Amino acid sequence: QVHLVESGGGSVQAGGSLSLSCAASGFPYDKYYCMGWFRQAPGKKRERVALFDSDGSTSYIDSVKGRFTVSRDNAENTLYLQMSSLKPEDTAMYYCAAEFAPCEVITETRADFGYWGQGTQVSVSS
């Protein structure tokens, strides 16, 4: 059973930094996977922030490029999102997600991720 637990959210002033963690368990070691960070602000649709593929490739939405970095520690089975130069518009609930398919396939087929964490709140004040 796949289980994802996010941590590291909090409140910060604009220009500050935060690092989010997503502890994963129950991953089959021999399966291809895609993990991602998503966010949803009140009254807005959920948006994909960053993806990490099991082949090590990453992708980001334009609004966070150069400010956010997604990485994974395989030994710890933990996905990270390092956020810097935070802006008030980055305020949202951040979720970690996983699916057992290449990120490219999920993106091209617009498939949803099957496994989600409970979320962690990030608040950026101006």
Side-chain angles (χ1 to χ4, degrees), residues 15-31:
S17 299
L18 280 175
S19 182
L20 306 183
S21 300
C22 172
S25 60
F27 266 53
Y29 288 99
D30 59 348
K31 270 202 166 185

Side-chain angles (χ1 to χ4, degrees), residues 7-9 12 15-22 36-37 39 49-52 58-60 63-72 78-87 90 94 120 122:
S7 61
V12 66
S17 299
L18 280 175
S19 182
L20 306 183
S21 300
C22 172
W37 287 100
R39 66 187 181 188
V49 176
L51 296 180
F52 186 95
T58 58
S59 64
Y60 303 88
S63 61
V64 307
K65 284 180 180 177
R67 300 189 298 121
F68 290 11
T69 301
V70 63
S71 61
R72 191 175 194 270
T78 301
L79 185 75
Y80 299 98
L81 184 67
Q82 179 64 43
M83 305 182 292
S84 61
S85 301
L86 282 162
K87 305 175 181 180
D90 294 318
Y94 283 69
T120 185
V122 171

